[in-house]
Amino acid sequence: MKVLVIGSGAREHALCRSLSLDPDVTALHCAPGNAGIAETARLHPVDALDGAAVAALATELGAELVIVGPEAPLVAGVADAVRAAGIPCFGPSGEAAQLEGSKAFAKDVMAGAGVPTARSYVCTTPEEVDEALDAFGAPYVVKDDGLAAGKGVVVTDDLEKARAHANACDRVVIEEFLDGPEVSLFAITDGETVVPLQPAQDFKRALDGDEGPNTGGMGAYSPLPWADPKLVEEVMETVLQPTVDELRRRGTPFSGLLYAGLAITSRGVRVIEFNARFGDPETQVVLARLKTPLAGVLLAAAEGTLADLPPLRWSDDAAVTVVVASYNYPDTPRTGDPITGLDEVAALDAPHAYVLHAGTKHDGDEVISAGGRVLSVTATGTDLTEARARAYTAVSRIRLDGSQHRTDIAAKAATDAATEA
């Protein structure tokens, strides 16, 4: 199978790494890719938001499966253009991707499907904003209705900060605060059959102890030793299957990766948000544990034959990923700094630890930073304690001037699991 992956982040590098290990993949391409992906796939320049250009590239390459990684191309309808060219594509239509593209649309779908979520108001005027903020009280949860690259949500006790964020958006969703730990659960679907993956937890705040501003994600781990063993089954029954059924009923079937961001509250599981693609950095740890070859599963979703597949196989190992970010991230990051130590990780830590590239590019023979989140250092181990140790050993070998990373990814979960054991 010839496969083309669209995107340039660590999520796409994780996908390309898994696909490169799949014996059924005979040729692997990525557009536009990054410096790390170049080691496992052939790169091609393309505007990822241009459906016609992506479809033309896929046709030229003879691709038998196209995987669209990021949310913006999906919302722009790139998957529709690829399918119109007669090529199987993993990723929802532009219409179905509104599940991520519009928080208000997602709330409407959840209401129709009876999916448990936070109570909310959609606001378009300062008066409506004030009314909603007053109705819920602190902590205030304010979400830009559109795509914001993981940074459109403000959770704060500061009324003025909440109001300022709301009034800076054209349309905003204000909702009640959900208590309890958060969980990310991915599911692969062909629009009817839904196949859940293993749950993960990510860390959104920039600093240790969940302090600092919201980011696209500073690390993740899987499995979740503290989670109810029946969590996946419950979310399948109350969230994932009803949502897929509701979208099909509406005439906008959702085929691809459905991501549910969940809060495990004192009143049960509640949906915080949906995404229409693999999450970053959770993909890095979930795919590290998946033993079933990836390409056939994604092709089955694209072709509507998921029901015919045997159950997915998973490693019992734990996986941890730590994001190394540029100086000043999540504000305007500094780029262009050389990255060293990557060869040391490859020589000393493989196969248990490896580096997935996000914001990188080549400058001659050097790899340099080219974005806010630069690298996802990922490791596996028999438990979270071992996986953490391996990940942070690898992080310590990497040098990037002014870089930052959290030191507490999976720490509490690892400690709690060790104590219980």
Side-chain angles (χ1 to χ4, degrees):
M1 194 192 311
K2 295 179 184 174
V3 182
L4 169 63
V5 176
I6 302 300
S8 60
R11 162 188 46 231
E12 287 76 34
H13 194 177
L15 287 164
C16 285
R17 179 181 181 275
S18 290
L19 291 164
S20 71
L21 300 172
D22 185 334
D24 288 338
V25 176
T26 53
L28 182 57
H29 302 269
C30 185
N34 62 40
I37 295 173
E39 294 174 18
T40 55
R42 189 174 148 212
L43 303 192
H44 304 270
V46 78
D47 177 356
L49 296 173
D50 185 338
V54 171
L57 175 63
T59 302
E60 179 191 328
L61 295 173
E64 291 153 288
L65 174 65
V66 175
I67 300 161
V68 182
E71 61 272 27
L74 290 167
V75 172
V78 167
D80 302 272
V82 172
R83 279 191 278 268
I87 300 168
C89 185
F90 181 80
S93 66
E95 206 173 348
Q98 285 303 311
L99 199 62
E100 177 170 5
S102 167
K103 302 286 190 298
F105 176 78
K107 287 289 187 183
D108 191 55
V109 170
M110 283 187 262
V115 168
T117 185
R119 292 180 299 120
S120 64
Y121 293 106
V122 179
C123 307
T124 55
T125 68
E127 293 74 25
E128 290 174 347
V129 165
D130 286 344
E131 202 174 310
L133 292 172
D134 186 52
F136 290 129
Y140 305 102
V141 181
V142 184
K143 299 181 175 182
D144 189 337
D145 183 46
L147 290 181
K151 296 180 215 162
V153 179
V154 165
V155 181
T156 180
D157 288 318
D158 186 330
L159 177 59
E160 288 310 312
K161 191 179 283 186
R163 186 180 283 136
H165 181 65
N167 290 329
C169 305
D170 289 335
R171 190 157 85 140
V172 70
V173 174
I174 295 174
E175 61 185 39
E176 67 176 326
F177 178 76
L178 297 174
D179 64 328
E182 295 184 12
V183 172
S184 300
L185 185 61
F186 301 165
I188 292 170
T189 177
D190 57 11
E192 288 193 32
T193 301
V194 181
V195 178
L197 305 186
Q198 289 290 306
Q201 186 175 53
D202 78 333
F203 294 77
K204 286 291 186 197
R205 299 285 186 169
L207 307 175
D208 284 5
D210 291 326
E211 299 287 333
N214 236 21
T215 71
M218 294 300 290
Y221 70 94
S222 179
L224 312 181
W226 50 267
D228 186 324
K230 293 184 177 173
L231 175 66
V232 173
E233 189 181 322
E234 181 190 343
V235 176
M236 270 291 291
E237 288 176 10
T238 62
V239 175
L240 297 170
Q241 191 71 56
T243 299
V244 168
D245 292 345
E246 173 67 11
L247 284 162
R248 190 174 67 253
R249 188 188 67 76
R250 289 173 176 231
T252 52
F254 187 104
S255 162
L257 195 290
L258 178 58
Y259 163 124
L262 308 163
I264 312 302
T265 77
S266 52
R267 293 171 293 133
V269 173
R270 298 287 184 272
V271 175
I272 301 168
E273 65 176 357
F274 283 125
N275 289 339
R277 39 73 196 183
F278 280 103
D280 183 344
E282 300 98 320
T283 301
Q284 289 85 302
V285 292
V286 172
L287 291 186
R289 299 185 56 225
L290 179 65
K291 291 172 77 172
T292 302
L294 184 63
V297 181
L298 303 190
L299 182 64
E303 294 188 330
T305 58
L306 266 183
D308 301 336
L309 290 188
L312 298 180
R313 293 180 296 112
W314 295 93
S315 166
D316 291 331
D317 282 356
V320 172
T321 195
V322 179
V323 170
V324 176
S326 292
Y327 174 78
N328 207 40
Y329 177 79
D331 292 327
T332 305
R334 190 174 80 201
T335 58
D337 289 312
I339 304 164
T340 58
L342 299 173
D343 291 343
E344 288 174 47
V345 175
L348 300 172
D349 302 312
H352 301 298
Y354 49 89
V355 179
L356 298 169
H357 291 232
T360 68
K361 66 179 183 180
H362 277 114
D363 181 19
D365 292 336
E366 275 191 325
V367 176
I368 62 171
S369 61
R373 291 187 296 170
V374 181
L375 305 167
S376 284
V377 181
T378 305
T380 55
T382 53
D383 56 21
L384 285 174
T385 299
E386 185 175 50
R388 279 192 87 244
R390 286 171 170 171
Y392 280 107
T393 295
V395 168
S396 72
R397 303 190 201 281
I398 293 166
R399 290 167 292 283
L400 169 62
D401 187 45
S403 68
Q404 53 177 316
H405 64 271
R406 282 183 58 159
T407 64
D408 63 347
I409 303 301
K412 185 177 184 304
T415 303
D416 290 352
T419 303
E420 284 182 27

